Amino acid sequence: MRSVYISRATSVAARSLDGEMMIMSARDSTLFTLNPAGTIIWQSADGKMPLAEIVKQKICVEFDADPAEALEDAEQFVSDLASHGILVVSDSPITQPELHSKTVTRGS
Amino acid sequence: MSLMQEFGQRALDRGVPLSVQLDVTYRCNERCIHCYLDHDDHGEMTIAEIRDVLDQLADAGVFFLTLSGGEVFMRRDFFDIVEYARSLMFCVKIKTNAFMIGEEEARRLHELMVQDVQVSIYSHRAEVHDAITLLPGSLKRTVEGIRRLRAQGVKVIVANVLMMQNLGDYSGVIQLAEDLGAEYTIDPTITPMMDGDRNVLRLGLGVPQLQDVFRNSDLVGDVDEFCAPPPAMHEDVLRELPCSAGHTACYISPYGDLYPCVQFPLPSGNVRSQKFMDIWLHSEQLNDVRSITAADLPVCSGCGHVGSCSRCPGLAYMEGSMRGPSTQDCQKSYARTGIESANMRLKKAGSASPGLVQIAALLS
């Protein structure tokens, strides 16, 4: 099975508020919100760790999910975000400029 | 509730500063006759200080970052600031007069994916616009700058501040914005100087002029709805917060001073000597601002307009008390509806000669 690598698009604006990521697409200013699982995938999208590993190491551990089912959901999620220009998807590692995805957990 | 409103509410509930305006300089190449700023440099934050502040703002959860001035391009390192802000994934908005935006600047702003660029235009006629900016040739250069931004696909918002000098020209500015592919916004508010000097207010529109503006459907949409009398007051209204200033938004000056809003110069701390979050969470002034609901406004809580008035607590503060009325907003409410505000009635009563019979309680 081929590996899928994901990287956060540099064109978006993003911030995590109370454990959920809010992302604004630069393409059309559409605002998206990611649930906690989506937020973990987004924050792990460094272009280096394959999606399957992100799911295995982070999603399954955090949410006690079935690995195969979780990966299927994650692939669909990634595909959706990529279609909006929010994630970059590649079958090889992606080099991205230094980005800092800040998280705010205060008050949660 | 839209997603943005939902996030705004969540930020309010959690005490997160969702929006910050950071003025990177007060220096400016224009000398607009209504400007509220002193354009001398009294020791602006360095790029290193600004980067540190931006790090702190990102940590605090700030999503919308407006970079303004003065004229932002007076700083040679302005693109370093924008670049760093975008690397922190802020949604960056810029306010500029676009005078210094050449092809290269427009290209870089596009590459950096700034959300929008707001540019002030006072008139479509150079003789009027330039007489306000006091910079000959400024309208021409500003329009050229906007064209370059639009050619790069950068979203531009033309901001049209209205005053007596350009009152008749807003239709021309609307048309110009349309021709440029820009959005248009109008603002009939003149702000007192940051140091409290209120002389510039003489340039502002009076009630008859505001009435004309508020009855133009091109500007306000449904005139009947916009100018409708205020609805009967409901108790919920008195629990409402005045605006986002100090609640989910604040302003930082080029010298690191933190205020609730650019239009609310209540000194609340300084990011050069304090951590942003220490100020945001613990500033006595910000907490005072946050404690105010409509019920705490001695005059306005008894005013029929309280639920629909645009009362700005910053303008009220500059008028004397952040719990007091803002006369400019009273005038707007009156111009919209034809109904005097409680403040206007009080002032009228105060200026009338005292009655012959005065009643006072007898001391027992």
Side-chain angles (χ1 to χ4, degrees), chain B residues 33 122-123 125 128 131-132 162-169 202-205:
Chain B
I33 56 174
Y122 303 104
S123 170
R125 296 182 294 153
V128 177
I132 290 173
L162 276 191
M163 60 196 101
M164 297 305 282
Q165 281 73 1
N166 65 345
L167 176 62
D169 288 2
R202 72 186 190 284
L203 303 170
L205 305 187

Side-chain angles (χ1 to χ4, degrees), chain A residues 17, chain B residues 1 3-15 18 241 248:
Chain A
L17 177 62
Chain B
M1 188 184 270
L3 202 51
M4 195 64 248
Q5 287 170 323
E6 199 181 304
F7 266 103
Q9 186 59 50
R10 198 182 301 176
L12 183 65
D13 295 342
R14 300 282 184 271
L18 207 54
L241 302 170
T248 58

Side-chain angles (χ1 to χ4, degrees), chain B residues 81-154:
Chain B
I81 297 169
V82 181
E83 208 166 289
Y84 194 71
R86 286 295 296 126
S87 82
L88 293 167
M89 300 193 117
F90 286 107
C91 179
V92 174
K93 298 162 174 269
I94 293 172
K95 293 182 180 178
T96 170
N97 58 37
F99 188 100
M100 289 184 264
I101 295 182
E103 304 287 350
E104 177 62 13
E105 287 77 14
R107 186 184 62 76
R108 290 196 70 187
L109 289 173
H110 164 68
E111 283 174 358
L112 287 164
M113 292 287 177
V114 298
Q115 175 66 20
D116 56 56
V117 177
Q118 183 174 306
V119 183
S120 294
I121 291 186
Y122 303 104
S123 170
H124 58 296
R125 296 182 294 153
E127 63 272 26
V128 177
H129 177 92
D130 295 0
I132 290 173
T133 64
L134 301 182
L135 182 62
S138 57
L139 178 64
K140 182 172 178 290
R141 288 284 295 266
T142 291
V143 168
E144 286 170 359
I146 292 175
R147 283 192 206 286
R148 291 180 186 117
L149 289 168
R150 293 299 302 133
Q152 291 288 341
V154 176

